[in-house]
């Protein structure tokens, strides 16, 4: 099977969507399929994997998004030879997938990876919200009505797609991870490797340090919890525009020695860093079905998050972690509770690791391939 992944950005940009595509691409290729990533920008980047086709684009600031112009000749020639197209972003590459694939009878699948309403609040706040929401509803509804299948990675996102007026027919198909490197990291990091005290109870955040991730709430909750238990420490893996503000606030409260920013790290090193932590913590309410939470669970970490679509669909409150309201005080209470009870952390961590096995890439890839085969056959017979 010749599979085309359409994405507005790919490596070297690091994100959950990038990791999602790379993981499925690797697994499909192991099974003997040909996978191509048709993307935009970073044309001077040296790809270390086959099948990445880049069309010209200009970077949209430091957001990682690419404003594409035109389609590379190689992409135009490749598209008619595909058996299936899978769009991972709707606005640029998704529209290209529809325009270029449908005339050749190539089915198009779309996975909604993002809460576009929340992202627009973070990055397009200067446009009146009613206008933004009206545009998003209209665009996403038209796009969803034209593709062959819409995939929702979690029940909460399937419900959001329906309530937002996009589609009520999305197919539920959870995201997946390779559980093996997280369950058994090759070179587990230690407290000293991340400059934290040996007796720390380390809460770890993994992801972009951006406004859409609700980082100020996590910082406020940590400041509160750290004031109640001097062992509580925070490790933040990743980087982004909110790092400076977070650093200033943490340093102002005298927590320099109890916080470690790793900066942007190669994805291959994430399992080793997670081995340092005791609990995974995120205050984000913009997730769809967060790979970072699944990866932390596979590493045996209880997960602490805010009750919301995505995170709320992934963490079983009281079993594999805790869910709170979007309230720093309540979040801090749970941090203190987890820090003070090693047996609770152990019990939840074991349950989290077992639960994460449900999302292993080997089973998920077979399910997605089955969908592809069904759509291809349906297209042929029609």
């Amino acid at each position: 099977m010749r599979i085309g992944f359409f994405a507005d950005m790919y490596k070297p940009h690091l994100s959950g969507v990038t990791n999602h595509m790379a993981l499925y691409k690797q697994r499909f290729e192991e099974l003997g399929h040909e996978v191509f990533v048709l993307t935009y920008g970073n044309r001077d980047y040296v790809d270390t994997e086959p099948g990445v086709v880049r069309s010209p684009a200009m970077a949209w600031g430091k957001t990682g998004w690419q404003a594409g112009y035109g389609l590379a000749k190689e992409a135009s020639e490749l598209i008619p030879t595909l058996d299936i197209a899978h769009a991972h972003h709707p606005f640029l590459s998704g529209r290209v997938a529809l325009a270029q694939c449908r005339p050749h009878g190539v089915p198009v699948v779309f996975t909604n990876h993002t809460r576009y309403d929340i992202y627009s609040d973070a990055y397009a706040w200067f446009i009146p919200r009613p206008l933004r929401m009206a545009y998003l509803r209209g665009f996403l509804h038209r796009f969803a009505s034209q593709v062959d299948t819409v995939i929702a990675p979690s029940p909460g996102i399937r419900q959001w797609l329906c309530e937002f007026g996009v589609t009520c027919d999305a197919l539920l198909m959870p995201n997946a991870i390779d559980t093996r490197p997280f369950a058994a990291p090759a070179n587990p990091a230690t407290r000293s490797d991340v400059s934290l005290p040996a007796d720390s109870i380390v809460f770890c955040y993994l992801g972009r340090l951006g406004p859409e991730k609700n980082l100020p709430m996590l910082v406020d909750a940590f400041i509160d919890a750290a004031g109640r238990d001097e062992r509580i420490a925070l490790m933040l893996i990743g980087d982004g525009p909110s790092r400076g503000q977070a650093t200033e606030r943490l340093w102002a409260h005298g927590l320099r020695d109890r916080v470690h920013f790793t900066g942007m790290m190669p994805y291959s090193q994430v399992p080793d860093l997670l081995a340092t932590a005791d609990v995974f913590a995120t205050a984000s309410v913009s997730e769809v079905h967060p790979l970072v939470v699944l990866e932390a669970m596979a590493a045996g970490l209880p997960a602490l998050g805010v009750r919301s679509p995505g995170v709320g669909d992934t963490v079983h409150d009281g079993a594999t972690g805790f869910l709170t309201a979007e309230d720093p005080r309540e979040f801090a209470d749970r941090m203190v509770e987890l820090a003070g009870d090693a047996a609770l952390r152990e019990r939840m961590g074991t349950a989290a690791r077992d639960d994460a096995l449900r999302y292993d890439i080997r089973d998920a890839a077979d399910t997605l391939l089955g969908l592809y085969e069904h759509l291809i056959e349906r297209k042929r017979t029609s």
Side-chain angles (χ1 to χ4, degrees):
M1 192 184 304
R2 289 171 65 85
I3 303 165
F5 285 170
F6 288 73
D8 290 3
M9 76 282 285
Y10 191 57
K11 301 173 185 177
H13 175 73
L14 297 179
S15 70
V17 180
T18 299
N19 293 338
H20 171 94
M21 290 189 293
L23 185 61
Y24 272 94
K25 182 175 185 293
Q26 178 182 352
R27 180 56 182 166
F28 289 159
E29 289 172 342
E30 289 173 355
L31 294 172
H33 302 284
E34 294 181 272
V35 185
F36 304 91
V37 177
L38 296 94
T39 189
Y40 285 86
N42 296 303
R43 302 188 81 189
D44 57 347
Y45 178 73
V46 179
D47 289 296
T48 58
E49 58 183 293
V52 180
V53 181
R54 299 179 181 273
S55 294
M58 293 181 62
W60 185 13
K62 296 181 180 180
T63 64
W65 293 92
Q66 302 287 336
Y69 52 91
L71 194 62
K73 180 181 178 182
E74 183 182 358
S76 298
E77 294 174 348
L78 171 65
I79 288 171
T81 73
L82 297 175
D83 295 305
I84 191 83
H86 195 150
H88 294 275
H89 297 111
F91 298 106
L92 174 59
S93 55
R95 286 186 296 139
V96 169
L98 280 175
Q100 299 292 322
C101 292
R102 294 181 74 190
H104 298 285
V106 179
V108 179
V109 178
F110 167 57
T111 295
N112 191 98
H113 290 287
T114 304
R115 279 288 302 272
Y116 293 105
D117 56 337
I118 295 177
Y119 270 64
S120 78
D121 288 338
Y123 293 104
W125 52 267
F126 48 87
I127 300 173
R129 196 171 196 273
L131 293 179
R132 283 187 279 115
M133 295 304 106
Y135 170 77
L136 284 172
R137 286 189 186 94
F139 177 87
L140 291 173
H141 175 72
R142 288 191 299 273
F143 184 78
S145 67
Q146 291 177 293
V147 300
D148 292 272
T149 297
V150 176
I151 294 175
S154 68
I157 294 305
R158 182 167 60 177
Q159 181 179 351
W160 172 78
L161 286 168
C162 186
E163 293 176 351
F164 200 62
V166 179
T167 178
C168 292
D169 297 321
L171 176 66
L172 180 62
M173 191 172 292
N175 286 332
I177 60 169
D178 186 351
T179 59
R180 294 173 299 182
F182 296 94
N187 298 291
T190 64
R191 299 286 194 280
S192 61
D193 292 331
V194 294
S195 304
L196 291 174
D199 62 346
S200 298
I201 306 299
V202 179
F203 288 77
C204 173
Y205 168 84
L206 168 61
R208 176 175 163 80
L209 305 184
E212 75 281 5
K213 299 299 184 180
N214 206 15
L215 194 62
M217 179 185 150
L218 178 61
V219 169
D220 288 346
F222 169 70
I223 291 170
D224 182 350
R228 292 189 256 166
D229 188 332
E230 62 182 11
R231 298 171 304 158
I232 293 177
L234 180 64
M235 176 172 63
L236 298 107
I237 305 172
D239 211 340
S242 297
R243 176 173 174 173
Q245 183 181 23
T247 302
E248 289 180 9
R249 183 153 173 72
L250 291 164
W251 280 199
H253 282 78
L255 294 168
R256 185 185 296 266
D257 295 336
R258 296 164 65 181
V259 177
H260 179 72
F261 288 89
T262 69
M264 194 66 73
M265 300 296 294
Y267 185 67
S268 60
Q269 294 182 24
V270 169
D272 297 334
L273 287 167
L274 288 177
T276 308
D278 297 289
V279 180
F280 182 82
T282 177
S284 175
V285 295
S286 65
E287 305 302 323
V288 171
H289 188 224
L291 297 180
V292 292
V293 176
L294 296 177
E295 291 161 354
M297 290 169 58
L301 300 181
L304 175 58
V306 173
R307 196 173 289 107
S308 60
V311 173
D313 295 312
T314 308
V315 180
H316 298 293
D317 188 27
T320 61
F322 284 130
L323 295 170
T324 76
E326 196 174 350
D327 173 30
R329 181 68 180 185
E330 184 183 350
F331 201 92
D333 289 343
R334 291 304 196 186
M335 293 180 83
V336 172
E337 181 179 355
L338 285 162
D341 193 335
L344 176 64
R345 297 196 305 272
E346 178 66 25
R347 183 169 68 252
M348 285 185 164
T350 299
R353 181 183 288 114
D354 292 342
D355 195 48
L357 293 173
R358 297 190 296 128
Y359 304 105
D360 190 81
I361 183 61
R362 279 155 287 280
D363 293 330
D366 289 343
T367 300
L368 186 54
L369 285 172
L371 173 64
Y372 289 167
E373 290 166 355
H374 168 73
L375 293 175
I376 292 168
E377 182 60 28
R378 188 174 73 180
K379 207 77 166 181
R380 286 173 179 164
T381 55
S382 64

